[in-house]
């Protein structure tokens, strides 16, 4: 999508250091963190949101949870507090599916 901010980050039109990268996913820190650790896990494919997911995305969703687990370990969150949040509808501000990994002290709603 031409003017989607996350597509621009994925295409490297906006410089961003990735915390995790694979053929199908990227992950990077949220620019306005809601917790001590706040990482966004984002599919490279432009999927608008949860409502656009279907059976064909089964493998991708497994990969997302594998990436989450990897990031939990690399940030030493396994014995700390962590949450995974996906916003939808009016709670979603960037219309490109993403999973928020929130770790440590949660400061505000995402
Ligand atoms: P949501 O409300 O679930 O769509 O969340 C979008 C998230 O993207 C927010 O937490 C924003 O702070 C974050 N965000 C927006 N633009 C950027 C950016 N350029 N780099 C990193 N995070 C961003
Ligand atoms: Zn996009």
């Amino acid at each position: 999508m031409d003017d989607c901010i996350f597509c621009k980050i994925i295409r490297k039109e906006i410089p961003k250091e990735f915390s995790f990268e694979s053929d199908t996913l990227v992950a990077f820190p949220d620019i306005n963190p809601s917790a001590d650790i706040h990482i966004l896990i984002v599919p490279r494919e432009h999927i608008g949101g949860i409502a656009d997911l279907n059976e064909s995305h089964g493998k991708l969703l497994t990969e997302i949870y594998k990436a989450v687990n990897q990031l939990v370990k690399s940030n030493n969150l396994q014995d700390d507090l962590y949450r995974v949040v996906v916003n939808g509808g009016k709670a979603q501000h960037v219309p490109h599916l993403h999973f928020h990994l929130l770790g440590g002290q949660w400061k505000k709603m995402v």
Side-chain angles (χ1 to χ4, degrees):
M1 291 280 266
D2 283 356
D3 45 343
C4 166
I5 188 155
F6 286 177
C7 283
K8 285 184 182 169
I9 289 172
I10 289 159
R11 289 196 300 263
K12 297 192 182 289
E13 289 167 22
I14 297 174
K16 189 71 72 182
E17 200 167 315
F18 294 144
S19 328
F20 173 93
E21 192 172 6
S22 73
D23 288 352
T24 51
L25 302 174
V26 299
F28 48 86
D30 196 292
I31 206 164
N32 181 20
S34 296
D36 293 338
I37 291 169
H38 186 169
I39 299 170
L40 301 174
I41 297 101
V42 186
R44 287 185 188 272
E45 178 189 348
H46 181 93
I47 301 166
I50 322 181
D52 301 302
L53 288 169
N54 58 48
E55 289 78 359
S56 76
H57 297 113
K59 187 163 178 274
L60 178 69
L61 290 172
T62 305
E63 287 170 3
I64 287 170
Y65 275 92
K66 281 188 185 166
V68 166
N69 285 328
Q70 211 167 303
L71 288 162
V72 163
K73 282 188 194 137
S74 59
N75 286 282
N76 288 315
L77 289 172
Q78 59 272 45
D79 298 319
D80 202 337
L81 299 170
Y82 71 91
R83 298 176 174 87
V84 178
V85 174
V86 184
N87 289 323
K90 288 184 179 158
Q92 182 183 0
H93 298 96
V94 175
H96 180 134
L97 180 72
H98 52 282
F99 289 60
H100 298 255
L101 170 62
L102 298 146
Q105 202 64 40
W106 195 353
K107 297 166 185 163
K108 55 184 165 108
M109 287 284 287
V110 288

